[in-house]
Amino acid sequence: MTKIEGKIVFGIDIGGTSVKCGIFSREGELLYKDEIPTRTQEAGRFILEDISRHIAELSEKNSIEKADVLGIGYGVPGPVQEDGVVNGCVNLGWGKIDVAEQSRKLNGGIASAAGNDANVAALGEFWRGAGRGAKSMLMITVGTGLGCGVIVNGRVVFGAHGAGGELGHIPLVSGLTEPCNCGKTGCLEQAASATGIIRAAQRKLKESDEPSVLRGKDDFMAKDVVDAARNGDALADEVLNYSCRYLAQGLAVAAGVVDPEMYVIGGGVSKAGDFYLDKIRSAYRELAFYASRDAKIVQAALGNDAGMYGAARLVLGSMEA
Ligand SMILES: [Zn+2]
């Protein structure tokens, strides 16, 4: 473990089952990280207290003085306003809660800021990952859902309701009957998320008797579809093309709003690398307005740590403002 000296900042990524805690230098070097469980009982009322206690323990263990802590940043899996107020978060059991204010109270007035987890992950990649050096960037995390974050001129686009850059729920996909998690039908994430890939494969298997290695498997993951496609399975390849085309269409729509310099694709499915990204790249080139067509589409670099990085950067940025 690196010896922890000088000014530091805490980057906290709150998930439904665990809270990732990182200690960063001001420059964004990850000095230490660990996790604690997320106690979602009783409407999540212990979560911020648990984090505060853990921060105190880590500080004690590493001889970090309070004066050396520049700030505490949080990534939260729900809509968060720019002032750190969370507008309800189902996974944590939270209603409306001012995370930044609560954090300052629990941690002796240390500067605090909070953002949506997908937004802070984007900020993390922008600061220390695949987006380094860019001025604007859009990140999509392809997971159970579709997490998205938009950075313009180095700042997260929060939006008026904490839902800025929420590309997962733009209405784009036709021909679906099942509802999305948000209650609507036809959201981008219904086709482009890992769950969307699995569902599309299940539908395709049911509709035809085309041979496929996926046939007869009760339970397969998005990764199995990607692997099958890579190994020449025509049905799996068609499913992946469908999913990637919709994702590219989402990016092309976003290009018409923010025209970012680059797109960063993260999440489990993106680990397939160029095989997956090339499908998105070619569809994007075809679908985007000609001026935005050459924007780069790259793989995320920080993996599951992106949220901690971005949370740390968020609070540093809020102090510069
Ligand atoms: Zn939706």
Side-chain angles (χ1 to χ4, degrees):
M1 183 178 144
T2 319
K3 191 164 184 302
I4 295 175
E5 288 176 327
K7 303 280 187 200
I8 61 102
V9 54
F10 283 95
I12 311 288
D13 185 9
I14 307 178
T17 51
S18 71
V19 179
K20 295 191 183 71
C21 306
I23 303 177
F24 292 86
S25 68
R26 190 202 293 256
E27 293 71 34
E29 192 191 345
L30 178 57
L31 305 170
Y32 172 84
K33 65 170 174 176
D34 66 8
E35 289 183 21
I36 59 171
T38 312
R39 277 204 287 162
T40 52
Q41 297 93 321
E42 295 184 40
R45 58 187 282 247
F46 305 114
I47 296 173
L48 291 176
E49 288 172 25
D50 288 350
I51 293 169
S52 171
R53 199 174 312 114
H54 190 60
I55 285 174
E57 283 163 11
L58 287 177
S59 300
E60 164 101 40
K61 218 178 352 183
N62 294 291
S63 313
I64 299 166
E65 303 287 333
K66 196 182 144 203
D68 292 330
V69 182
L70 294 167
I72 308 170
Y74 300 82
V76 178
V80 187
Q81 295 168 192
E82 193 156 10
D83 56 5
V85 175
V86 174
N87 279 318
C89 182
V90 185
N91 290 346
L92 305 180
W94 285 353
K96 191 164 181 163
I97 165 175
D98 189 336
V99 173
E101 175 64 23
Q102 292 286 327
S103 170
R104 283 189 289 270
K105 264 189 203 153
L106 287 164
N107 298 288
I110 294 173
S112 300
N116 166 266
D117 56 358
N119 283 344
V120 298
L123 190 57
E125 288 287 346
F126 181 79
W127 189 32
R128 297 288 296 187
R132 276 176 97 158
K135 286 194 171 60
S136 61
M137 185 197 104
L138 186 150
M139 178 170 175
I140 293 208
T141 304
V142 182
T144 314
L146 210 62
C148 307
V150 177
I151 313 286
V152 174
N153 295 329
R155 299 187 70 86
V156 173
V157 176
F158 279 89
H161 313 93
E166 194 51 88
L167 225 61
H169 300 283
I170 55 172
L172 214 60
V173 186
S174 53
L176 297 177
T177 49
E178 72 266 29
C180 176
N181 286 334
C182 73
K184 302 189 299 149
T185 300
C187 292
L188 176 59
E189 79 168 33
Q190 287 189 276
S193 66
T195 317
I197 292 172
I198 296 167
R199 292 243 175 89
Q202 286 167 339
R203 264 201 313 274
K204 198 130 199 83
L205 287 167
K206 213 186 273 176
E207 283 165 6
S208 78
D209 50 13
E210 193 183 333
S212 168
V213 294
L214 299 170
R215 201 172 286 287
K217 281 191 187 171
D218 295 338
D219 237 357
F220 54 81
M221 314 284 284
K223 184 184 182 303
D224 298 319
V225 180
V226 176
D227 288 345
R230 201 203 295 267
N231 291 324
D233 190 285
L235 184 143
D237 200 47
E238 218 175 299
V239 166
L240 206 58
N241 287 340
Y242 156 89
S243 178
C244 288
R245 189 171 178 86
Y246 270 118
L247 186 55
Q249 198 177 338
L251 300 185
V253 169
V257 184
V258 285
D259 185 24
E261 200 174 320
M262 70 191 305
Y263 302 95
V264 176
I265 314 289
V269 179
S270 74
K271 294 200 181 107
D274 284 341
F275 176 71
Y276 174 65
L277 294 177
D278 281 346
K279 290 178 184 295
I280 301 168
R281 287 172 183 138
S282 62
Y284 175 80
R285 277 195 73 78
E286 186 192 321
L287 296 167
F289 180 57
Y290 66 85
S292 307
R293 209 178 283 157
D294 291 326
K296 278 181 287 183
I297 299 177
V298 302
Q299 193 177 348
L302 299 176
N304 291 331
D305 292 344
M308 288 188 299
Y309 276 91
R313 176 64 200 138
L314 184 69
V315 70
L316 289 174
S318 74
M319 291 152 64
E320 291 159 7

